[in-house]
Amino acid sequence: MTDIKKVNLLGLSPDKLIEFFESIGEKKFRATQVIKWIHQKGAESFEEMTDVSKALRAKLEQICEIRGPEVVSQNISSDGTRKWIIRTEGGKNDCVETVLIPDGDRATLCVSSQVGCSLDCSFCSTGKQGFNRNLTPAEIIGQVWIAIKSFGPMDPNGPRRVTNVVMMGMGEPLMNFEPVVDAMILMMHDHAYGLSKRRVTLSTSGVVPKIYELVKRTDVSLAISLHAPNDALRNELVPINKKYPIAELIESCQHYLANLPDKRHITIEYTLMFGVNDNEEQAYELAELLKVLECKINLIPFNPFPHSGYEKPSNNRTRRFQRILADAGYTVTVRTTRGDDIDAACGQLVGDFHDKTRRSQKYIELREVNS
Ligand code: SAH
Ligand code: SF4
């Protein structure tokens, strides 16, 4: 007899969990009980669920499971940053990374959505890896689960171990739409992690049609990876711009904000690369471009990785760029690198695994030929 594949309850959104319980002839409220056990108390087995009848526990044991992703390694940096390498179900090298960055009374978790990425931005090491596969909802929410559990048994009345989530790890979240939406719903749901919609942020390089879809499904905060003040340069750095140019992207952001129930802003991410997109004229051009959008700007000095071909600007250049935007009236932050001793910065994720993929190999060979 072959084993029936058990349903992993970890990744089911509240609605899907209700559907599941109804499909096995059980009452709705069971879904609420189970969701709290999994996401607030960290249960890994049905045995622990003491307010669920023995008979139902035995039934659940037969047909479902609670299975978090496999942790290959966990590192804790001297500054408190924690990093996990997680093996997804695809195979030996299908790994992604999750990073937790504490900062005062905040702790921001950077979550991955795909193994690799198909969008091939020129300065991104994940892009160089090519696309391997999408994460399942359980693998996405499982990153939050693992991060909280790393502090000991989960306690819904204890201190919050994760206060903010940013979908800024590996992958383009809008290219893995349904699983990402399900996981974000769990992050914000009162019976699960209960994070405020202002503290869950999706970052996208600009998959415009999906931005219109997103606002119909959730009201998370939105960050846009812009990186250039005009289409000519953005086409080079962020190839999806050729399909959805800046004007269309800005329009989709305006629509997103207009359709939220509350007043919010877009976060514009701008990775500064020396001599590429960091000169004064480009700062003025960016200030002009963004006039029509309610936004804050986050400058990210480029994080180098082998064979990238880019360099980060000096602190002076970064500050000059920041000042021009600030003088034009924008709120501008500069992202500081954290977790340096464990390679936890943007664009440095799962370094060891990158070199094993085809696109990366081709890229390295090309660079070597040209050098
Ligand atoms: N795919 C999504 C989310 C993941 S990337 C997106 O592109 O928005 C998260 C952020 O890190 C993006 O703003 C991305 O442009 C930036 N990034 C990627 N590689 C980087 C590098 N080497 N240095 C600095 N920032 C980088
Ligand atoms: Fe993909 Fe984002 Fe990297 Fe671009 S920056 S290749 S969209 S992960």
Side-chain angles (χ1 to χ4, degrees), residues 328-358:
Y330 294 93
T331 302
V332 195
T333 49
V334 177
R335 192 180 296 172
T336 48
T337 301
R338 298 287 306 273
D340 263 353
D341 51 336
I342 55 171
D343 282 351
C346 296
Q348 293 185 326
L349 308 183
V350 204
D352 289 353
F353 293 90
H354 286 161
D355 295 343
K356 300 196 173 102
T357 63
R358 240 183 288 146

Coordinates of all heavy atoms in Angstrom, one line a residue, residues 328-358:
A328 N 14.5 68.2 -1.4 CA 13.3 68.3 -2.3 C 12.0 67.9 -1.5 O 11.0 67.8 -2.0 CB 13.5 67.4 -3.5
G329 N 12.2 67.5 -0.2 CA 11.0 67.3 0.7 C 10.7 65.8 1.0 O 9.7 65.5 1.6
Y330 N 11.6 64.9 0.5 CA 11.3 63.5 0.8 C 11.9 63.1 2.1 O 12.9 63.6 2.6 CB 11.9 62.6 -0.3 CG 11.3 62.8 -1.6 CD1 11.8 63.8 -2.6 CD2 10.2 62.1 -2.0 CE1 11.2 64.0 -3.8 CE2 9.6 62.3 -3.2 CZ 10.1 63.3 -4.1 OH 9.5 63.4 -5.3
T331 N 11.3 62.1 2.7 CA 11.9 61.4 3.9 C 12.8 60.3 3.3 O 12.3 59.4 2.5 CB 10.8 60.7 4.7 OG1 9.9 61.7 5.2 CG2 11.4 60.0 5.9
V332 N 14.1 60.4 3.6 CA 15.0 59.4 2.9 C 15.8 58.7 4.0 O 16.5 59.4 4.8 CB 16.0 60.2 2.0 CG1 16.8 59.2 1.1 CG2 15.3 61.2 1.2
T333 N 15.8 57.4 4.0 CA 16.7 56.7 4.9 C 17.7 56.0 4.2 O 17.6 55.7 3.0 CB 15.8 55.6 5.7 OG1 15.0 54.9 4.8 CG2 14.9 56.3 6.7
V334 N 18.8 55.7 4.8 CA 19.9 54.9 4.2 C 20.0 53.6 5.0 O 20.1 53.6 6.2 CB 21.3 55.6 4.2 CG1 22.3 54.7 3.6 CG2 21.2 56.9 3.5
R335 N 19.9 52.5 4.3 CA 19.9 51.2 4.9 C 21.3 50.8 5.3 O 22.2 50.8 4.5 CB 19.3 50.1 4.0 CG 19.1 48.8 4.8 CD 18.5 47.7 3.9 NE 17.2 48.0 3.4 CZ 16.6 47.3 2.5 NH1 17.2 46.2 2.0 NH2 15.4 47.6 2.0
T336 N 21.5 50.5 6.6 CA 22.8 50.2 7.1 C 22.9 48.6 7.0 O 21.9 47.9 7.2 CB 23.1 50.6 8.5 OG1 21.9 50.2 9.3 CG2 23.2 52.1 8.6
T337 N 24.1 48.2 6.7 CA 24.3 46.7 6.6 C 24.4 46.1 8.0 O 25.1 46.6 8.8 CB 25.5 46.4 5.8 OG1 25.4 47.0 4.5 CG2 25.7 44.9 5.6
R338 N 23.6 45.0 8.2 CA 23.7 44.3 9.4 C 24.1 42.9 9.2 O 24.1 42.4 8.1 CB 22.3 44.3 10.1 CG 21.7 45.7 10.4 CD 22.4 46.3 11.6 NE 22.4 45.4 12.7 CZ 21.4 45.3 13.6 NH1 20.3 46.1 13.5 NH2 21.4 44.5 14.6
G339 N 24.6 42.2 10.3 CA 24.9 40.8 10.2 C 26.1 40.6 9.2 O 26.1 39.5 8.5
D340 N 27.0 41.5 9.1 CA 28.1 41.4 8.1 C 28.9 40.1 8.3 O 29.4 39.5 7.4 CB 29.1 42.6 8.4 CG 28.9 43.7 7.3 OD1 28.0 43.4 6.4 OD2 29.5 44.7 7.5
D341 N 29.1 39.7 9.6 CA 29.9 38.6 9.9 C 29.2 37.2 9.5 O 29.9 36.2 9.5 CB 30.4 38.5 11.4 CG 29.2 38.7 12.3 OD1 28.2 39.3 11.9 OD2 29.3 38.3 13.5
I342 N 28.0 37.3 9.2 CA 27.3 36.1 8.7 C 26.7 36.2 7.3 O 25.8 35.5 6.9 CB 26.2 35.6 9.7 CG1 25.2 36.7 10.0 CG2 26.8 35.1 11.0 CD1 23.9 36.2 10.7
D343 N 27.2 37.2 6.5 CA 26.8 37.4 5.2 C 25.3 37.5 5.1 O 24.6 36.8 4.2 CB 27.2 36.2 4.3 CG 28.7 36.4 3.9 OD1 29.3 37.5 4.2 OD2 29.3 35.5 3.3
A344 N 24.7 38.3 5.9 CA 23.2 38.4 5.9 C 22.7 39.6 5.2 O 21.5 39.9 5.2 CB 22.7 38.4 7.3
A345 N 23.5 40.4 4.4 CA 23.0 41.6 3.8 C 22.3 41.2 2.5 O 22.4 40.2 1.9 CB 24.2 42.5 3.5
C346 N 21.4 42.2 2.0 CA 20.7 42.0 0.8 C 21.7 41.6 -0.3 O 22.7 42.2 -0.5 CB 20.1 43.4 0.3 SG 18.9 44.1 1.3
G347 N 21.2 40.7 -1.2 CA 22.1 40.4 -2.3 C 23.2 39.5 -2.0 O 24.1 39.2 -2.8
Q348 N 23.3 39.0 -0.7 CA 24.4 38.1 -0.4 C 23.9 36.8 0.1 O 24.5 36.0 0.7 CB 25.2 38.7 0.8 CG 26.0 40.0 0.5 CD 26.8 40.4 1.6 OE1 26.4 40.2 2.8 NE2 28.0 41.0 1.3
L349 N 22.6 36.6 -0.2 CA 21.9 35.4 0.4 C 22.4 34.1 -0.2 O 22.6 33.9 -1.4 CB 20.4 35.6 0.2 CG 19.9 37.0 0.7 CD1 18.4 37.1 0.6 CD2 20.3 37.3 2.1
V350 N 22.5 33.1 0.6 CA 22.9 31.7 0.3 C 24.0 31.7 -0.7 O 24.0 31.0 -1.7 CB 21.7 30.9 -0.2 CG1 21.9 29.4 0.0 CG2 20.4 31.3 0.5
G351 N 25.1 32.5 -0.4 CA 26.2 32.6 -1.3 C 26.7 31.2 -1.8 O 27.0 31.1 -3.0
D352 N 26.9 30.3 -0.9 CA 27.5 29.0 -1.3 C 26.7 28.2 -2.4 O 27.3 27.5 -3.2 CB 27.6 28.1 -0.1 CG 28.6 28.5 0.8 OD1 29.3 29.5 0.5 OD2 28.7 28.0 1.9
F353 N 25.4 28.5 -2.4 CA 24.6 27.7 -3.3 C 24.5 28.3 -4.7 O 24.2 27.6 -5.7 CB 23.2 27.5 -2.7 CG 23.2 26.6 -1.5 CD1 23.4 27.2 -0.3 CD2 23.2 25.2 -1.6 CE1 23.5 26.5 0.9 CE2 23.3 24.5 -0.4 CZ 23.4 25.1 0.8
H354 N 24.8 29.6 -4.8 CA 24.7 30.2 -6.1 C 25.5 29.6 -7.2 O 25.0 29.5 -8.3 CB 25.0 31.7 -6.0 CG 24.0 32.5 -5.2 ND1 24.2 33.7 -4.6 CD2 22.7 32.1 -5.0 CE1 23.1 34.1 -4.1 NE2 22.2 33.2 -4.2
D355 N 26.7 29.3 -6.9 CA 27.7 29.0 -7.9 C 27.3 27.6 -8.6 O 27.9 27.2 -9.5 CB 29.1 28.9 -7.3 CG 29.5 30.3 -6.9 OD1 28.8 31.3 -7.3 OD2 30.5 30.5 -6.2
K356 N 26.4 26.9 -8.0 CA 26.1 25.6 -8.5 C 25.0 25.7 -9.6 O 24.7 24.6 -10.2 CB 25.6 24.7 -7.4 CG 26.6 24.6 -6.3 CD 26.3 23.4 -5.4 CE 27.5 23.2 -4.4 NZ 27.2 23.7 -3.1
T357 N 24.5 26.8 -9.9 CA 23.4 26.8 -10.9 C 23.9 27.3 -12.3 O 25.0 27.9 -12.4 CB 22.3 27.8 -10.5 OG1 22.9 29.1 -10.4 CG2 21.7 27.5 -9.1
R358 N 23.1 27.0 -13.3 CA 23.6 27.1 -14.6 C 23.9 28.6 -15.0 O 24.9 29.0 -15.5 CB 22.7 26.5 -15.6 CG 23.4 25.4 -16.4 CD 22.5 24.8 -17.4 NE 21.4 24.0 -16.8 CZ 20.2 23.9 -17.2 NH1 19.8 24.5 -18.3 NH2 19.3 23.1 -16.6

